[in-house]
Amino acid sequence: VYGRVRIPYGVLFGDFGDMGAALIALKREPERCIKIMEETIPQILEEIEAWADTGVHSLWLGQWLCSADLISETDYLKFVYPYDKLLIEAVKAAGMIPIYHFCGDAVPRLPYIKKSNPTIFGVEESKKGFDVEIGKIRTGMGKDVCLLGNVDVYDIVERGTPEMWAQEVERQVSAAGPERFIVSCGSPITPDTPPEQLLEFIQTAKQ
């Protein structure tokens, strides 16, 4: 059983209410951005403790709009990395497992994400011009972290066949497993995926 917790960088985008405005603010109003994020930290830490009191086993921390195709390494280290690392450590200290999922081009961020030391780490599937092949993620993160697979939810799960599912699962397990690896999708299941097809995919993965 897992819960979800906010992240300061995500709160920042919610505060500005517009992706473009928030990205521009990172350059034009960096002090304001940092203030917004730091003011949320005590609240988020309280949320983590509250989740721990409910008895959940893990917390999902989803990061987005900070990949190498969107912001610079300097901005990542200023606005994202220290806060994510803090929350991952807080989740562990509260006795839960941090599941850290990163959208976008994660490969250039892997040295820092590895230092953040999430117990479970997942990435989006390759698309929009970036390559996050699961073997590269294993190489960058090392053998000690548990990886979530990034099976393509559209071309493989929704539109694929049992043969395609089996081939992709075998490919990912070979590249990133078999130990400390969980077959998973890189993005949420599409609305047009029939439930019975999803169940068939799960059974294929279990085999």
Side-chain angles (χ1 to χ4, degrees):
V1 178
Y2 74 91
R4 290 176 178 265
V5 70
R6 298 179 299 160
I7 51 175
Y9 189 73
V11 172
L12 174 67
F13 277 76
D15 190 81
F16 278 94
D18 177 82
M19 182 180 75
L23 289 173
I24 291 172
L26 297 180
K27 294 298 185 182
R28 295 183 176 176
E29 303 177 85
E31 295 82 8
R32 179 188 173 193
C33 292
I34 289 174
K35 181 179 179 181
I36 291 171
M37 292 190 294
E38 291 188 345
E39 286 178 346
T40 69
I41 291 175
Q43 301 169 17
I44 296 175
L45 293 177
E46 288 183 5
E47 292 173 12
I48 290 173
E49 292 297 332
W51 274 115
D53 290 342
T54 70
V56 300
H57 304 96
S58 57
L59 282 185
W60 178 281
L61 299 92
Q63 187 56 274
W64 61 308
L65 297 177
C66 63
S67 54
D69 52 316
L70 289 176
I71 67 173
S72 68
E73 181 179 27
T74 299
D75 286 343
Y76 172 79
L77 292 175
K78 180 187 296 185
F79 299 109
V80 181
Y81 170 70
Y83 303 105
D84 288 2
K85 186 174 187 294
L86 172 68
L87 294 188
I88 289 170
E89 292 171 349
V91 172
K92 289 183 176 182
M96 296 175 290
I97 297 171
I99 305 172
Y100 185 66
H101 188 270
F102 194 97
C103 290
D105 188 2
V107 175
R109 306 292 191 226
L110 293 182
Y112 305 110
I113 295 173
K114 185 177 181 180
K115 290 180 182 179
S116 298
N117 198 26
T119 305
I120 301 176
F121 177 57
V123 293
E124 196 174 15
E125 63 266 42
S126 299
K127 57 185 176 184
K128 295 176 288 192
F130 55 80
D131 178 17
V132 282
E133 202 283 314
I134 198 67
K136 292 182 180 180
I137 305 301
R138 173 57 79 195
T139 299
M141 293 298 293
K143 61 182 178 59
D144 294 330
V145 65
C146 178
L147 292 184
L148 295 175
N150 63 341
V151 175
D152 190 301
V153 293
Y154 182 66
D155 289 331
I156 301 296
V157 178
E158 180 186 330
R159 304 186 68 188
T161 63
E163 290 76 20
M164 292 172 64
W165 302 338
Q167 289 175 2
E168 179 62 6
V169 168
E170 290 174 6
R171 185 190 71 80
Q172 293 210 4
V173 170
S174 176
E179 297 181 352
R180 294 185 175 87
F181 180 74
I182 301 171
V183 175
S184 182
C185 298
S187 298
I189 297 299
T190 56
D192 291 334
T193 301
E196 58 275 13
Q197 183 159 311
L198 178 59
L199 290 174
E200 289 179 17
F201 170 76
I202 293 172
Q203 291 304 316
T204 299
K206 287 182 177 180
Q207 295 172 7

